Amino acid sequence: MIQVLFAAQAEKWEAYAPHLSAEFDAAGLSVSLSQALPPDAVDYIIYAPNSDLQDFTPYTRCKAVLNLWAGVETIVGNTTLTQPLCRMVDPAMTQGMVEWVTGHVLRHHLGMDAHITAPAGTWQPAAPPVAWDQKIAVLGLGQLGSACAQSLARLGFDVHGYARSPKTLEGVTCHTDIDAAFDQADGVVLLLPNTPLTQNTLNSERLARVARGAFVLNPGRGPLIDDAALLAALDSGQVGHATLDTFRVEPLPADDPYWHHPNVTITPHIASETRPKWASKVIVENVARYEAGLPLLHLVDRAKGY
């Protein structure tokens, strides 16, 4: 029998256990799934980085650690974690991110806020540009970024994507030079991983490269933004609006200046959430593959940090 430890906060167990059990049964796997197993008996760990488990040394039999989160920056540097680490690539998470990004790009592109918040009787006949005339920079072309970039391209936007490694995506102009993606962009979407190389990617120099009045969306990671630089760009009008879903400190403190800036929209880290029903399918597929002698999916590259 395969021994699977569920190492996450207690409320997650109630949400995940029925789906995981059903998926293991459907895959024909004989599994003991538990929140408490002797470390030397564990074959797989289903893991959330905010769980109490931080020392992996006793888990000598463990074949893989299967992350419940897309982000691994808080665990990838754990020196006791020597087992293979797989990040979560959940189709529902991808769909949720595409919906959030597409919705907010269209909101800013169409100038919806001006009409939604206008006093009764206000008549504003100025029409927005068409998508063909708007350059959108999507920074980060992993699973989520690629899906968002292609969704925006299908709507007709002039989409420019950035990734460290060369990429080819239908309808998207891909760059390995990040500044080329920023140049005269009307909107910037941040979907890079959080690594030492990506922190403060959105700094004053790059904000100066975008089209005046551009909008910024950050559903990626809080440290991607130099917050002081973004606030200064908002104050000067170089950036017209920022819609932010992730922050360096969460929940965002009540005295943070983002709360009080008229051109900032805050959403509480909801752009993309792991859905237990769909994430369970991903986890069970990986266990089934490895038990059948196939390679694990979504392995983290420790050198890159994602």
Side-chain angles (χ1 to χ4, degrees):
M1 179 172 287
I2 304 167
Q3 305 289 321
V4 179
L5 176 67
F6 187 87
Q9 294 183 333
E11 64 271 16
K12 296 296 184 182
W13 171 254
E14 295 181 6
Y16 275 91
H19 294 291
L20 286 166
S21 296
E23 292 298 331
F24 279 127
D25 289 345
L29 297 174
S30 178
V31 170
S32 173
L33 174 67
S34 175
Q35 292 178 281
L37 290 169
D40 60 359
V42 172
D43 294 304
Y44 297 91
I45 302 174
I46 299 171
Y47 186 72
N50 63 351
S51 77
D52 293 336
L53 198 170
Q54 296 297 318
D55 183 3
F56 293 86
T57 306
Y59 295 88
T60 54
R61 177 171 142 176
C62 180
K63 302 173 184 178
V65 175
L66 308 171
N67 209 39
L68 287 173
W69 299 1
V72 295
E73 63 271 10
T74 59
I75 189 63
V76 71
N78 187 325
T79 56
T80 71
L81 178 56
T82 57
Q83 300 86 345
L85 173 65
C86 300
R87 61 190 178 87
M88 175 54 62
V89 178
D90 168 12
M93 180 185 292
T94 302
Q95 180 64 18
M97 183 64 80
V98 167
E99 292 175 6
W100 190 94
V101 168
T102 303
H104 284 287
V105 167
L106 286 171
R107 166 196 164 207
H108 292 302
H109 163 63
L110 295 173
M112 290 180 175
D113 289 9
H115 302 286
I116 293 169
T117 62
T122 302
W123 190 257
Q124 299 174 350
V130 293
W132 307 330
D133 295 327
Q134 296 278 280
K135 176 180 176 178
I136 307 297
V138 178
L139 307 180
L141 295 176
Q143 182 82 13
L144 299 177
S146 294
C148 291
Q150 290 187 293
S151 175
L152 295 171
R154 286 192 290 270
L155 288 171
F157 289 102
D158 177 21
V159 181
H160 290 248
Y162 162 76
R164 287 175 60 191
S165 303
K167 294 270 187 175
T168 301
L169 295 175
E170 184 177 357
V172 178
T173 302
C174 297
H175 303 273
T176 54
D177 175 5
I178 193 169
D179 291 329
F182 270 101
D183 281 339
Q184 291 303 299
D186 298 289
V188 176
V189 182
L190 294 166
L191 280 167
L192 292 163
N194 179 20
T195 72
L197 292 175
T198 63
Q199 291 182 13
N200 296 321
T201 291
L202 195 70
N203 55 30
S204 57
E205 291 79 8
R206 292 195 174 114
L207 287 167
R209 303 180 80 102
V210 302
R212 185 165 179 81
F215 62 85
V216 170
L217 306 183
N218 186 19
R221 292 289 182 263
L224 299 176
I225 292 178
D226 179 335
D227 296 311
L230 178 56
L231 286 163
L234 286 161
D235 288 340
S236 72
Q238 175 64 10
V239 172
H241 201 102
T243 296
L244 309 175
D245 187 63
T246 58
F247 306 90
R248 292 175 185 269
V249 178
E250 296 183 4
L252 188 65
D255 61 351
D256 192 284
Y258 281 139
W259 282 118
H260 311 290
H261 201 288
N263 294 326
V264 173
T265 299
I266 292 168
T267 62
H269 207 140
I270 56 166
S272 187
E273 183 70 21
T274 305
R275 274 74 169 179
K277 173 184 176 181
W278 295 99
S280 296
K281 294 178 183 294
V282 175
I283 290 166
V284 172
E285 179 187 9
N286 237 351
V287 173
R289 284 176 61 88
Y290 209 57
E291 290 298 304
L294 298 172
L296 291 162
L297 299 172
H298 319 309
L299 270 174
V300 171
D301 183 328
R302 304 296 178 89
K304 292 182 178 178
Y306 58 90

